[in-house]
Amino acid sequence: MSFEFGISKTMNRTYVHGYDPRENIRLQDQASTLVELLHSDTKYPPDSKVLEAGCGVGAQTVMLAQNSPGAYITSVDISESSIAEAKRRVEEAGCTNVVFRQGDIFDLPFGDEQFDHIFVCFVIEHLSNPIEALNCLKKFLKNGGTITVIEGDHGSTSFYPDSEEAHKAIRSLVELQKRAGGNANIGRELYPILNTVGFGSIRVSPRMVYVDSSKPHLVEGFIKKTFTAMIEGVRESALDAGMIDQPTFDKGIKDLYRTTEKDGVFGYTFFKAVAEKN
Ligand SMILES: C[S@@+](CC[C@H](N)C(=O)[O-])C[C@H]1O[C@@H](n2cnc3c(N)ncnc32)[C@H](O)[C@@H]1O
């Protein structure tokens, strides 16, 4: 759910993550804050082969490796530099069950039905062709194997005190991502997308992050360092594109920070889907 501009041969000027050191820190903050909510039920059996597609800087890879110490994890990303960083993190955490490969989801060098499970987190929201991407991944999955897809949905954001300017600033990010070929509201579409790709037994669970001042680690880790930092990150692009004026954007950011005060409240819903190939 975070981004910077980049180019991939398979994407139409799509947001690509993980080059900027500040972005790496933000992804790491995001991961540690949300790990329990999003991943506590992701555990793969010993000896199973797991493909993590679009691992980025490894923000979820360490969790995958630690939650499933007996599984063999192959993590791929299109970005060499992100993989180098992910490798460093995994080594630092002392995990020995992950191998990394640079590669494009649309053109990976794996054999058919090579993996028992596939894990994709915060990736398809950035692709102009998520159905094609999941179709490409599906062929690497054994019959009876599972795919887990986790995505955000910026349209789910709610907060107190409410602010039209904050909603406008958020919508400018949604619009920028749309112009880049992505979909920042893709969480709500996981069921129909997986259904279209032909997966069965699809189970989607909304995971709501609810924050008030009684949860200072989420005020800091989610509202400030994850969500508001992400919206702030598109300030120049949104202003340059003329999709919002500067006073409105800046007031929107101020109002998002206002939700971190004692009486403030913030909500955001992630969607986690698990489906089977059958
Ligand atoms: C927002 S990051 C998410 C990284 C990681 N899954 C996480 O949750 O922190 C999206 C990642 O998808 C990768 N990516 C985008 N398009 C890709 C493609 N066609 N093939 C492989 N990786 C891709 C980007 O390089 C980036 O690292």
Side-chain angles (χ1 to χ4, degrees), residues 10-11 16-17 54-56 59-60 77-78 103-105 121-122 127:
T10 53
M11 296 183 285
V16 174
H17 303 229
C55 64
Q60 326 297 335
D77 200 280
I78 201 161
D104 187 331
I105 285 171
C121 185
F122 304 142
L127 306 178

Side-chain angles (χ1 to χ4, degrees), residues 115-144:
F115 293 95
D116 299 292
H117 304 283
I118 295 180
F119 179 88
V120 193
C121 185
F122 304 142
V123 176
I124 64 167
E125 66 181 296
H126 302 287
L127 306 178
S128 55
N129 35 16
I131 290 175
E132 192 190 330
L134 294 179
N135 251 318
C136 288
L137 292 173
K138 189 179 168 206
K139 69 175 194 283
F140 305 129
L141 195 56
K142 289 180 187 161
N143 280 331

Side-chain angles (χ1 to χ4, degrees), residues 183-194:
N183 179 0
N185 295 338
I186 202 168
R188 70 191 70 172
E189 293 181 32
L190 290 186
Y191 186 92
I193 287 173
L194 287 161

Side-chain angles (χ1 to χ4, degrees), residues 196-262:
T196 302
V197 178
F199 284 102
S201 306
I202 307 165
R203 298 173 301 282
V204 176
S205 61
R207 311 268 164 127
M208 188 185 185
V209 186
Y210 166 79
V211 191
D212 59 36
S213 58
S214 69
K215 302 171 179 175
H217 67 291
L218 284 174
V219 168
E220 202 54 34
F222 190 73
I223 309 181
K224 289 185 184 171
K225 289 186 178 163
T226 298
F227 192 83
T228 306
M230 175 181 70
I231 305 297
E232 262 184 308
V234 299
R235 184 178 185 276
E236 299 315 316
S237 308
L239 297 181
D240 288 351
M243 56 179 58
I244 187 167
D245 60 72
Q246 187 224 305
T248 304
F249 190 91
D250 291 345
K251 167 93 171 33
I253 296 300
K254 191 164 165 250
D255 290 348
L256 286 174
Y257 280 114
R258 169 66 182 85
T259 71
T260 68
E261 289 179 25
K262 206 168 175 8

Side-chain angles (χ1 to χ4, degrees), residues 7-66:
I7 307 283
S8 142
K9 64 178 175 175
T10 53
M11 296 183 285
N12 294 333
R13 197 152 188 270
T14 303
Y15 295 109
V16 174
H17 303 229
Y19 288 98
D20 177 353
R22 277 172 312 168
E23 175 68 359
N24 294 353
I25 291 166
R26 208 184 65 66
L27 281 170
Q28 211 47 44
D29 286 336
Q30 173 176 315
S32 44
T33 303
L34 301 176
V35 76
E36 180 66 23
L37 178 78
L38 297 180
H39 304 307
S40 57
D41 53 347
T42 300
K43 290 190 168 73
Y44 299 114
D47 295 329
S48 56
K49 296 197 176 84
V50 180
L51 171 63
E52 181 192 15
C55 64
V57 295
Q60 326 297 335
T61 314
V62 172
M63 170 284 304
L64 274 179
Q66 289 175 338

